[in-house]
Amino acid sequence: MTQKKVLIIDDENIICKGCEIILGEMGYLCDHSLSGVAGLELVLNNPYDVLLLDMKLKDMDGMKILETVKKIKPEVYVIVITGYSTVKNAVTAMKLGANDYISKPFSEDDIAIAIANGIQKTSKK
């Protein structure tokens, strides 16, 4: 069975590193990007199963990344993570194709469960 790949796009290094540790222990291959522009390039040019995407990035709007990824690679399971959670943002993200939505701060279990659900759903396709 092929190892599943996860990309984390978040401008907070501690979030990226923490998620990589948790997900690495679960057996997933992880990459991360601290830049929205570089992260978008990574996800469009590499085979990822799940994208963990922050909405507020310094160089690019996370909603734009979400919209672009879902148009070009709709098979990627996108989990939106944000410290600026509102009902409006959640609804907008879901309308653009987000598969899940997690508010910061989140627990290890929150991420582990969301990723496992995403992997399970992408494996069925």
Side-chain angles (χ1 to χ4, degrees), residues 7 9 32-46 48 59-60 65:
L7 175 63
I9 303 175
H32 78 269
S33 176
L34 299 172
S35 155
V37 173
L40 180 58
E41 188 174 317
L42 277 172
V43 73
L44 294 180
N45 294 308
N46 295 281
Y48 290 103
D59 64 339
M60 190 172 186
I65 295 170

Side-chain angles (χ1 to χ4, degrees), residues 17-28:
K17 292 294 185 186
C19 288
E20 282 184 329
I21 290 168
I22 294 164
L23 299 174
E25 288 174 355
M26 294 174 67
Y28 302 121

Side-chain angles (χ1 to χ4, degrees), residues 41-80:
E41 188 174 317
L42 277 172
V43 73
L44 294 180
N45 294 308
N46 295 281
Y48 290 103
D49 299 289
V50 177
L51 171 61
L52 200 55
L53 175 64
D54 188 16
M55 284 288 100
K56 296 275 186 183
L57 301 163
K58 291 180 177 97
D59 64 339
M60 190 172 186
D61 180 31
M63 292 287 187
K64 185 66 181 162
I65 295 170
L66 171 62
E67 186 176 22
T68 304
V69 168
K70 283 302 185 173
K71 279 183 182 170
I72 297 171
K73 294 183 95 175
E75 72 279 4
V76 175
Y77 191 91
V78 181
I79 302 168
V80 168

